[in-house]
Amino acid sequence: MSESANRLQLHDTLTRTAREVWPSEAGTLRFYGCGPTVYGPAHIGNFRTFIAQDVFRRVVELSGTPTLHVRNITDVDDKTIRDSQKAGQTLIEFTQYWTERFHADCAALNLLPPHVEPKATDHIAHQIKMIEDLIAHGNAYAAPDGSVYFRVSSYADYGKLSHLEDRELKVGAAQTANDSDEYTKDSLADFALWKAHKPDDGENFWESPWGKGRPGWHLECSAMALEYLGVEFDLHSGGIDLVFPHHENEIAQSCCATGGRFARHWMHIAHLMVDSGKMSKSLGNLYTLADLGHRGYSPAVVRYTLLSGHYRQPLNFTLHSLDASHQALLKLAKFEKQLRALTGATAAPSLDELRAAGKADIFAEAWADLLNDLNVPGAIGAVFATINKTKPATLSVEAAKSAWVGLHFVLAALGLELPVIKDEGEVEAPEEVKALADQRWNAKQARDWTSADDLRKQIELLGWIVKDSKEGYTLTPQA
Ligand code: AMP
Ligand code: ZN
């Protein structure tokens, strides 16, 4: 395969065309993804977006290009302040707890950790500096109450990402899910860069040249992208709801503060829906990974389900689709086992080995689908078409080896980990799960019911069900 045939073509929201993704500098593809607001458990809609970004990164890396992935943690906004106060915790304690929960879910879903994961509260000085630059360049102004606003009319390119009508831009710019704006600004469209302290904010404020306050939500991504990726970088991404106003505002802030171009390519992920409504905390129609774990679904099944629609199309979530995903994973695992038996291998090839192989062998069509705007449903369909027409027993050892590496190449791109099939229908638990089950058994012998219960939940979160008998316990995979 020639080098350019191995490059990803990805739809760009800015130009509305598919464009090649290629690093502009020093061979590393640098990208920013807007991270979670840590005030409760992330729902699987949020994870649809993070998993699509993870597949993007995996495909780029497997095609031979290293990445620098920055994803922020929003740990100060209206919601984190409000809910930390309700919980009677400091903002830092409260957001730290939810950040750790987020990390645990990410690990269970096999998401590669970003190389840099900056927090908004650790970058207040960077944000203040950016506001000072914007004021100096005539793009921002301080209001009498000590808030600072971006003057939307000062940036002629405002609206270039979202392609919205002038009228919609004017009313919408200041509306965000994360922060409400005040009305001390010159124009309705202007949005807050710095929010003057209000009594409701309590102890949550920082000193600034404009008095006590806190940064507006949009600013943190501009400031942290500048710090870790520079004035211009390869790609920026988020859920579709972030196109406007969040990303439009990020572009305005960054381009006006630095004079640079900011992100060259924009990737947006369509929503996970439930009964034709967006899955969201405010609509109360959400599922978390833990909710689905309690219903017996493993993180791998959830990941497969969230991948099953094209990232640019809304995906309707049903519990039934989780059962279908479970069956699909078992079929993949069976085929993998048949091929592996022919190769004599005991462990899956490492990522380095896969990168060195650089191709998907008999699964080349699936890889081509992934390079074509991350067409995951197409790739999954192609994998099953290949499996259906391949009889492992008829392959030579060499052919089986190449096919096996090819299958792992595609699985690695999708970040799919297969259930381990021992014998027909019997599945062996991973060591980590067995260790938790042993600990739980010991806790039960010691009549420590709280720990035993806690450990059972951890086992469930990893996708396993533990059942007790007189002699001991058995572990079975969730559906
Ligand atoms: P938040 O924690 O609300 O800032 O959201 C984190 C990420 O999840 C953002 O990129 C959002 O655009 C994305 N997101 C929120 N709801 C959904 C959904 N229902 N489907 C897909 N992505 C979502
Ligand atoms: Zn952002």
Side-chain angles (χ1 to χ4, degrees):
M1 199 180 296
S2 79
E3 208 180 38
S4 89
N6 216 15
R7 288 181 194 168
L8 171 63
Q9 295 280 335
L10 192 77
H11 181 84
D12 171 24
T13 315
L14 188 65
T15 57
R16 294 182 172 177
T17 55
R19 292 173 51 217
E20 196 169 274
V21 175
W22 192 241
S24 53
E25 237 175 58
T28 297
L29 190 128
R30 295 165 305 131
F31 78 103
Y32 189 98
C34 294
T37 309
V38 282
Y39 71 112
H43 57 73
I44 58 166
N46 300 133
F47 282 116
R48 178 178 200 210
T49 288
F50 297 133
I51 289 172
Q53 293 166 345
D54 187 62
V55 171
F56 162 75
R57 171 172 160 189
R58 286 166 178 274
V59 167
V60 170
E61 291 183 357
L62 281 165
S63 69
T65 303
T67 64
L68 173 58
H69 176 192
V70 181
R71 186 180 66 208
N72 65 300
I73 295 280
T74 297
D75 61 350
V76 55
D77 76 329
D78 289 349
K79 291 179 286 192
T80 46
I81 291 177
R82 180 195 65 201
D83 288 3
S84 64
Q85 289 166 339
K86 274 194 207 151
Q89 288 179 311
T90 64
L91 185 65
I92 299 294
E93 280 165 358
F94 179 77
T95 54
Q96 184 60 33
Y97 173 79
W98 288 111
T99 303
E100 283 164 18
R101 288 281 304 269
F102 174 67
H103 286 160
D105 283 356
C106 288
L109 285 166
N110 201 25
L111 287 159
L112 297 167
H115 302 102
V116 190
E117 196 176 39
K119 292 181 181 177
T121 55
D122 288 340
H123 296 79
I124 302 293
H126 298 76
Q127 297 176 72
I128 290 176
K129 166 77 172 63
M130 196 169 245
I131 300 175
E132 287 174 329
D133 290 347
L134 288 168
I135 293 177
H137 300 167
N139 300 107
Y141 57 93
D145 72 341
S147 293
V148 182
Y149 294 101
F150 185 90
R151 193 184 300 283
V152 167
S153 62
S154 73
Y155 182 53
D157 274 348
Y158 193 85
K160 71 176 177 181
L161 181 72
S162 46
H163 311 269
L164 291 177
E165 295 299 320
D166 206 30
R167 181 171 40 86
E168 291 169 283
L169 291 172
K170 283 201 175 111
V171 285
Q175 290 169 1
T176 75
N178 283 52
D179 272 324
S180 59
D181 272 357
E182 305 295 330
Y183 288 95
T184 52
K185 52 198 180 186
D186 291 356
S187 155
L188 193 56
D190 296 350
F191 58 89
L193 299 168
W194 186 258
K195 306 179 82 168
H197 182 256
K198 314 187 287 276
D200 280 355
D201 293 340
E203 293 303 301
N204 301 303
F205 62 80
W206 289 264
E207 297 295 343
S208 80
W210 315 281
K212 286 179 181 156
R214 61 183 165 99
W217 170 50
H218 309 294
L219 189 62
E220 66 178 87
C221 293
S222 284
M224 295 190 280
L226 176 62
E227 176 67 11
Y228 298 103
L229 296 172
V231 296
E232 214 167 296
F233 53 95
D234 298 308
L235 183 133
H236 196 317
S237 170
I240 193 87
D241 55 315
L242 298 190
V243 174
F244 181 78
H246 183 55
H247 286 162
E248 203 71 74
N249 291 356
E250 280 189 39
I251 293 174
Q253 292 161 164
S254 295
C255 293
C256 293
T258 70
R261 196 173 146 198
F262 198 46
R264 267 183 281 274
H265 201 132
W266 288 85
M267 172 191 183
H268 289 102
I269 295 99
H271 281 146
L272 186 68
M273 316 290 282
V274 183
D275 299 330
S276 16
K278 173 192 167 191
M279 183 175 286
S280 73
K281 192 160 177 175
S282 51
L283 293 176
N285 61 358
L286 56 84
Y287 287 100
T288 64
L289 198 57
D291 295 334
L292 297 177
H294 291 316
R295 287 170 183 262
Y297 297 106
S298 69
V301 164
V302 176
R303 180 170 177 122
Y304 188 98
T305 306
L306 295 175
L307 279 175
S308 62
H310 192 280
Y311 80 93
R312 289 207 288 130
Q313 300 295 329
L315 177 68
N316 198 43
F317 177 75
T318 62
L319 290 173
H320 179 68
S321 56
L322 294 167
D323 295 320
S325 300
H326 175 60
Q327 292 309 322
L329 281 170
L330 283 180
K331 187 166 177 186
L332 286 170
K334 246 168 113 178
F335 185 80
E336 192 275 347
K337 194 187 167 196
Q338 286 172 333
L339 280 182
R340 182 161 32 95
L342 292 168
T343 67
T346 48
S350 70
L351 266 182
D352 283 343
E353 285 169 304
L354 293 173
R355 264 184 230 119
K359 60 186 170 80
D361 195 66
I362 59 170
F363 297 98
E365 200 182 321
W367 177 239
D369 279 323
L370 291 178
L371 292 177
N372 177 15
D373 201 18
L374 299 176
N375 182 1
V376 174
I380 290 176
V383 165
F384 280 109
T386 304
I387 287 180
N388 289 339
K389 67 176 184 224
T390 306
K391 290 195 175 54
T394 63
L395 299 177
S396 69
V397 172
E398 270 319 296
K401 247 185 202 154
S402 303
W404 179 69
V405 172
L407 177 60
H408 277 284
F409 189 81
V410 175
L411 292 174
L414 298 174
L416 286 180
E417 285 182 337
L418 300 180
V420 181
I421 299 183
K422 241 182 8 190
D423 289 314
E424 203 58 22
E426 209 184 327
V427 184
E428 187 173 3
E431 291 307 319
E432 177 191 9
V433 174
K434 285 194 218 159
L436 288 171
D438 283 342
Q439 281 178 41
R440 178 181 166 274
W441 182 255
N442 294 339
K444 275 192 70 176
Q445 303 314 305
R447 307 183 78 75
D448 177 358
W449 310 119
T450 318
S451 304
D453 210 38
D454 247 26
L455 286 156
R456 184 180 51 74
K457 283 184 192 144
Q458 286 183 49
I459 293 167
E460 278 175 9
L461 265 179
L462 292 169
W464 289 80
I465 296 164
V466 59
K467 282 196 192 110
D468 295 323
S469 66
K470 278 196 198 103
E471 300 78 43
Y473 62 82
T474 54
L475 285 165
T476 42
Q478 295 164 344

